[in-house]
C-alpha cells in the first residue's frame, strides 16, 4: 500500500494539471470503488474548479469551488494517469506495463487544463468521497488521524505523549495512524533503523516516567522526517503497484536500508550486523539486531 511519500508524489504530479482547472467532463465507469461513489458524484464535480490540491496522511484533498472537498485514497493498487495533448505518458515505456488499463480506469476527469486524469484501480480498495469543506474536521476518515509527520507540530514531545504507557511494540505504535499519520510498514522499518531503535522495543520507552520525551524519541522523530523527505525527493518507492502520475516509477526502493533486505549487511557505518526479518502484528519487520537497541 502506498505510504505518505508515494501519495505526496502523486499529489505533486496531479497539482499542475488540476489546480486552477475546471472539471469539464467526469466519467464514472462504475458506481463503486471501495465504497459507493456519491449518487450525484458527476454533477457535483462537472463545471467546478479545483482551488487547491492538498494531502492529509494518505488522502488527497481537492478543494473545489463549490465548497466541497473531493477526498481520494489510492487504496492498495490505485493510480492516476495524466494524459495531455502534447504529452502522453506511455506506460509501456516502463518495465511495469500498465496492462488492462482501460478496464480498470474507473473514474476519468477531463480538466480544462487540457489534461485527462484517469483513476485506475484493479483491486478497488481506493475511494473517492465528496465532503463539504465545513464538515471536513468531522469527517470519519480524517477525524481520528494523528499528526502529519512532516508538519511542525509533530515532535518528540508529541510522540512521547502518544506512546506514554503504551504496551505495544514501537513497530505497531508507529504504524498506528492515530499516533502518527501516513507511515506504513516500509517507512516505519526504515526510520527505526536510521534511529538505531529496535522495532521490538515497547512503545512506552520513548517517554520518560514523567511523560517527557526520552532521547530516542528525538532520534525517531528526526529519522521519520528524514526518511520521508528523502523518499519524496526520490519520487517514492516502487514495489508492485505504486507509480508516479506520469507513469514512471519512484526509485527510493534502491535506498532501502533494511526493508526487504533480509540476510544482507546492515548499512550502519561500523555495524557488522545482518538484517533480520521477523513478523509483528502479521506484517514483516526488517531490522538489524546489532545496532537497533
Ligand atoms: Zn546494524
Amino acid at each position: 500500500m502506498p505510504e505518505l511519500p508515494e501519495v505526496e508524489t502523486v499529489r505533486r504530479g496531479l497539482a499542475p494539471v488540476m489546480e486552477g482547472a475546471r472539471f469539464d467532463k467526469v466519467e464514472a465507469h462504475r458506481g463503486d470503488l471501495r465504497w459507493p461513489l456519491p449518487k450525484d458524484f458527476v454533477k457535483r464535480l462537472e463545471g467546478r474548479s479545483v482551488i487547491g490540491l492538498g494531502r492529509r496522511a494518505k488522502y488527497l484533498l481537492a478543494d473545489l469551488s463549490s465548497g466541497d472537498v473531493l477526498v481520494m485514497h489510492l487504496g492498495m493498487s490505485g493510480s492516476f494517469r495524466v494524459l495531455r495533448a502534447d504529452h502522453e505518458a506511455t506506460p509501456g515505456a516502463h518495465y511495469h506495463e500498465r496492462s488492462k488499463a482501460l478496464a480498470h480506469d474507473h473514474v476519468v476527469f477531463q480538466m480544462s487544463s487540457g489534461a485527462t486524469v484517469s483513476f485506475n484501480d484493479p483491486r478497488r480498495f481506493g475511494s473517492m468521497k465528496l465532503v463539504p469543506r465545513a464538515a471536513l474536521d468531522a469527517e470519519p476518515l480524517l477525524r481520528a488521524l494523528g499528526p502529519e509527520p512532516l508538519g511542525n507540530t509533530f515532535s518528540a514531545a508529541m510522540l512521547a505523549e502518544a506512546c506514554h504507557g503504551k504496551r505495544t511494540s514501537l513497530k505497531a505504535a508507529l504504524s498506528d495512524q492515530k499516533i502518527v499519520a501516513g507511515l506504513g510498514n516500509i517507512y516505519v522499518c526504515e526510520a527505526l533503523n536510521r534511529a538505531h531503535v529496535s522495532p521490538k522495543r515497547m512503545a512506552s520507552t520513548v517517554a520518560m516516567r514523567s511523560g517527557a520525551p526520552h532521547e530516542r524519541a528525538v532520534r525517531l522523530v528526526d529519522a521519520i522526517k528524514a526518511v520521508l523527505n528523502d523518499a519524496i525527493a526520490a519520487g517514492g518507492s516502487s514495489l508492485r503497484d505504486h507509480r508516479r502520475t506520469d507513469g514512471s516509477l519512484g526509485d527510493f526502493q534502491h535506498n532501502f536500508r533494511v526493508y526487504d533486505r533480509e540476510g544482507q549487511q546492515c548499512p550502519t557505518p561500523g555495524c557488522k550486523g545482518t538484517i533480520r526479518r521477523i513478523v509483528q502484528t502479521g506484517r514483516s519487520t526488517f531490522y538489524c539486531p546489532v545496532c537497533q537497541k
Side-chain angles (χ1 to χ4, degrees):
M1 182 181 284
E3 301 180 35
L4 188 154
E6 290 75 46
V7 179
E8 177 60 19
T9 301
V10 171
R11 190 194 70 75
R12 292 179 183 193
L14 293 178
V17 296
M18 290 188 77
E19 285 186 334
R22 194 176 58 242
F23 291 95
D24 278 346
K25 186 161 183 265
V26 173
E27 296 167 37
H29 293 151
R30 49 182 306 135
D32 63 321
L33 295 168
R34 181 173 191 171
W35 302 300
L37 291 170
K39 282 197 171 48
D40 47 0
F41 183 70
V42 169
K43 212 173 91 192
R44 280 165 76 180
L45 290 175
E46 281 183 347
R48 314 296 187 180
S49 299
V50 177
I51 297 167
L53 185 65
R55 179 188 55 74
R56 174 74 172 105
K58 303 177 198 172
Y59 291 92
L60 292 167
L61 306 176
D63 244 295
L64 308 182
S65 54
S66 58
D68 277 333
V69 178
L70 174 60
V71 179
M72 302 178 279
H73 196 282
L74 299 171
M76 308 281 288
S77 60
S79 66
F80 286 94
R81 187 166 50 163
V82 175
L83 295 175
R84 276 177 280 192
D86 59 334
H87 175 257
E88 180 173 324
T90 47
H94 305 281
Y95 58 89
H96 278 278
E97 184 159 5
R98 186 162 143 152
S99 61
K100 297 184 220 157
L102 293 175
H104 298 296
D105 276 356
H106 303 308
V107 178
V108 179
F109 303 137
Q110 285 180 19
M111 306 302 299
S112 62
S113 58
T116 301
V117 175
S118 40
F119 180 67
N120 180 288
D121 189 2
R123 297 172 69 180
R124 284 193 291 115
F125 280 104
S127 63
M128 292 198 188
K129 186 171 182 179
L130 284 160
V131 180
R133 192 179 303 142
L136 204 60
D137 285 344
E139 166 55 38
L141 294 174
L142 307 175
R143 195 175 47 198
L145 291 172
E148 279 294 312
L150 293 174
N152 292 330
T153 57
F154 181 60
S155 64
M158 183 178 254
L159 182 64
E161 195 187 325
C163 291
H164 190 212
K166 240 191 157 37
R167 302 189 59 78
T168 54
S169 69
L170 258 179
K171 169 76 187 311
L174 295 176
S175 305
D176 181 348
Q177 303 300 298
K178 294 193 277 297
I179 290 180
V180 54
L183 298 181
N185 214 28
I186 293 176
Y187 297 107
V188 169
C189 290
E190 292 296 308
L192 284 163
N193 178 263
R194 287 186 183 215
H196 308 304
V197 176
S198 170
K200 296 192 287 187
R201 177 175 275 287
M202 199 77 87
S204 58
T205 63
V206 300
M208 315 282 268
R209 206 174 283 273
S210 66
H214 187 277
E215 169 270 336
R216 65 175 69 90
V218 177
R219 274 190 275 142
L220 261 175
V221 166
D222 287 349
I224 288 167
K225 289 178 189 276
V227 73
L228 294 177
N229 280 322
D230 288 353
I232 290 169
S237 303
S238 301
L239 300 175
R240 283 177 297 275
D241 294 311
H242 169 66
R243 66 208 65 213
R244 289 154 82 157
T245 52
D246 62 356
S248 70
L249 295 154
D251 61 5
F252 190 69
Q253 69 277 10
H254 303 304
N255 299 321
F256 288 164
R257 295 168 58 96
V258 290
Y259 187 81
D260 208 18
R261 290 174 54 87
E262 183 180 15
Q264 298 187 42
Q265 207 197 311
C266 174
T268 299
C271 180
K272 299 254 190 297
T274 301
I275 307 306
R276 185 176 290 173
R277 185 183 79 91
I278 55 172
V279 175
Q280 291 180 291
T281 53
R283 305 290 306 275
S284 288
T285 297
F286 298 90
Y287 79 110
C288 171
V290 175
C291 68
Q292 290 181 246
K293 297 293 181 195

